[in-house]
Amino acid sequence: MKISSSYNNKYNKNLSPTSFKGIPPKPHFMPNVIGKIGKLAGEYVSMPEQKLFLATTALMFVPLIDLKFAEEDKKTDAAIKSASKAMMGGLTGVIIRAAFLKFMDKFVGLGKYNFFSVYLLPPKARDLNAKLSAAKKEAEKLVLSKRVKQYNQTMGTLFAILFMTFFSNSKIDVPLTSDMQDLLSGVIKENKTWLKSLADVSKARKEKINNWFENKKKKLFIIKDKLVKIISVIKENPNATPKEESNK
């Protein structure tokens, strides 16, 4: 028998939850304290807590590394940038992860039925909900509840990763990191007060937002003018296309 298959047969029924899947509750090849830590982490440390831990660790150590090893004239800027990334990336990451896990718990639910769970979930997940609703024994309900909860966490994790990859990383993280960097630069490099630096950052962000809206408004007016011209051409000569009219 292969070592891998022997390991799987021995620990397959006692795997920790999704966060630390693969760590047995009582691994014989580790000290008991490490096994207990792994078991507790698997049961209680979910995706938002993991992100918070990573962001806190980055905030504590990365700026210090930059101050120690970055180029002499760029040490402060590098440390400010690293701190801003850790704070804003961690904040948005924790909020988005927690929101998507809450979304899955609410709209999928443990044995609850709604439009999402009835029509949009895969058959396997719907079967879990149905089995949970039909279960009568408490032990069976407990096992099925854990399975549905793990499924909810997995789907919430997937949706959160997709959302962050295609939207929040560029539309939320980057602007917030830039603003935090300007705020810290004003306080640390320019000796401004926190309120003064915050007011300057808010003013600059407001100008950027107004410029963005003005740019979009100009594009909408250009599209509107083109549509008006096309409609007027069609009204004057229903059989002519805008292309034919332009050729005349």
Side-chain angles (χ1 to χ4, degrees):
M1 181 182 290
K2 293 182 179 179
I3 294 175
S4 59
S5 61
S6 175
Y7 176 88
N8 290 334
N9 290 335
K10 193 171 184 179
Y11 292 111
N12 188 41
K13 296 182 180 179
N14 294 316
L15 288 176
S16 300
T18 309
S19 301
F20 286 79
K21 188 174 182 181
I23 300 179
K26 296 179 181 179
H28 297 289
F29 51 87
M30 292 183 183
N32 288 333
V33 64
I34 297 178
K36 289 178 181 178
I37 292 173
K39 182 181 178 182
L40 290 173
E43 290 179 354
Y44 298 108
V45 179
S46 61
M47 189 172 59
E49 285 82 4
Q50 290 178 28
K51 180 60 180 178
L52 180 62
F53 175 78
L54 292 173
T56 304
T57 305
L59 182 60
M60 290 172 60
F61 294 107
V62 177
L64 295 178
I65 294 172
D66 290 331
L67 289 174
K68 178 80 173 173
F69 297 105
E71 295 180 20
E72 194 63 36
D73 58 336
K74 298 180 180 178
K75 285 185 176 181
T76 304
D77 290 331
I80 289 174
K81 187 174 182 179
S82 297
S84 301
K85 280 184 178 180
M87 285 188 282
M88 293 298 99
L91 178 65
T92 55
V94 169
I95 292 174
I96 289 170
R97 285 165 168 80
F100 273 94
L101 290 181
K102 198 73 176 177
F103 168 83
M104 290 304 298
D105 281 338
K106 182 176 180 179
F107 288 97
V108 177
L110 300 178
K112 298 177 182 178
Y113 286 86
N114 49 45
F115 174 83
F116 186 82
S117 61
V118 172
Y119 294 104
L120 300 182
L121 283 181
K124 185 177 179 181
R126 294 201 297 269
D127 290 343
L128 280 177
N129 273 341
K131 288 178 182 178
L132 181 59
S133 298
K136 296 181 179 180
K137 296 180 180 180
E138 289 300 323
E140 186 180 3
K141 287 182 180 180
L142 182 62
V143 172
L144 290 171
S145 296
K146 287 184 177 180
R147 288 179 61 191
V148 175
K149 186 175 182 180
Q150 285 184 344
Y151 180 85
N152 292 350
Q153 289 179 346
T154 302
M155 293 300 293
T157 300
L158 176 62
F159 288 142
I161 290 172
L162 291 174
F163 180 81
M164 288 185 289
T165 301
F166 294 103
F167 181 76
S168 71
N169 284 347
S170 59
K171 303 298 182 183
I172 299 176
D173 283 13
V174 172
L176 286 179
T177 299
S178 175
D179 290 343
M180 178 56 69
Q181 195 171 344
D182 292 340
L183 174 64
L184 294 178
S185 293
V187 173
I188 296 172
K189 297 180 67 176
E190 301 172 30
N191 295 321
K192 296 179 183 177
T193 64
W194 284 98
L195 289 177
K196 171 62 176 168
S197 185
L198 181 61
D200 292 342
V201 171
S202 300
K203 182 179 178 181
R205 175 53 56 188
K206 183 179 179 181
E207 290 178 358
K208 290 178 182 178
I209 293 174
N210 288 337
N211 291 336
W212 184 86
F213 275 111
E214 288 296 326
N215 183 41
K216 296 298 180 184
K217 191 189 296 184
K218 289 178 182 178
K219 290 182 179 180
L220 287 174
F221 278 119
I222 292 173
I223 294 172
K224 178 186 172 184
D225 292 340
K226 289 183 178 180
L227 289 174
V228 169
K229 290 179 181 179
I230 291 171
I231 292 172
S232 63
V233 168
I234 294 174
K235 284 183 176 179
E236 291 176 6
N237 187 359
N239 295 323
T241 63
K243 186 176 181 180
E244 290 173 350
E245 186 69 20
S246 62
N247 289 336
K248 292 180 181 179

